[in-house]
Amino acid sequence: MPAKNPKGGKGKGNDASDGGDKGKGGKGLKPATSINVRHILCEKYSKKEEALEKLRNGAKFDDVAREYSEDKARQGGSLGWKPRGSLHADFEKVAYELEPSTTANPKYAEAKTSFGYHIIMVEGRK
């Protein structure tokens, strides 16, 4: 398979930059083998709803994670880089569909696992 697309068409052969899929809500994301992920873990649904309300009102994701997350990873909810297959399946399915965002302007989603309720955001993909 050739490394470059000589015509520069619409195929997946664009190796110049990955900036072409912004704003498509996850559907146009390239497959990733690992993600830099943060989460807020709450055992109770009501506490998760409180955390979501803070995020909706513009609070930074890492600040909300420090205040609400019951996870031992207290660094603003950061789990660091996680390769595919290393996370709980229900968590991972949601996380790998998220578009990368920043803690100041997070794009987040929710998942329920045996650990509790998660609010997930992704900072990077590779």
Side-chain angles (χ1 to χ4, degrees):
M1 179 172 187
K4 292 191 177 195
N5 184 347
K7 302 227 187 267
K10 295 178 186 167
K12 291 184 180 151
N14 258 357
D15 56 20
S17 83
D18 61 351
D21 290 326
K22 287 189 174 28
K24 290 189 182 168
K27 300 285 185 273
L29 288 174
K30 293 179 181 174
T33 56
S34 66
I35 53 173
N36 188 1
V37 63
R38 289 180 184 264
H39 77 144
I40 300 167
L41 171 64
C42 300
E43 285 182 31
K44 292 194 167 95
Y45 179 85
S46 59
K47 190 168 182 183
K48 186 250 324 171
E49 288 298 308
E50 283 180 42
L52 279 173
E53 188 61 28
K54 290 254 186 185
L55 290 172
R56 286 187 197 110
N57 289 331
K60 289 178 67 180
F61 191 93
D62 51 339
D63 292 341
V64 176
R66 279 191 209 55
E67 185 178 346
Y68 285 89
S69 187
E70 296 163 19
D71 183 20
K72 62 185 182 295
R74 282 289 201 188
Q75 303 107 346
S78 178
L79 297 174
W81 285 97
K82 294 292 181 185
R84 194 180 286 275
S86 69
L87 297 162
H88 188 288
D90 295 332
F91 183 104
E92 189 167 281
K93 182 177 188 297
V94 172
Y96 272 88
E97 291 175 5
L98 273 170
E99 193 177 323
S101 60
T102 63
T103 57
N105 189 18
K107 293 179 182 173
Y108 49 86
E110 301 174 53
K112 169 99 170 69
T113 70
S114 56
F115 298 104
Y117 299 92
H118 303 265
I119 305 168
I120 306 164
M121 74 158 281
V122 172
E123 290 187 288
R125 298 167 59 89
K126 59 182 179 183

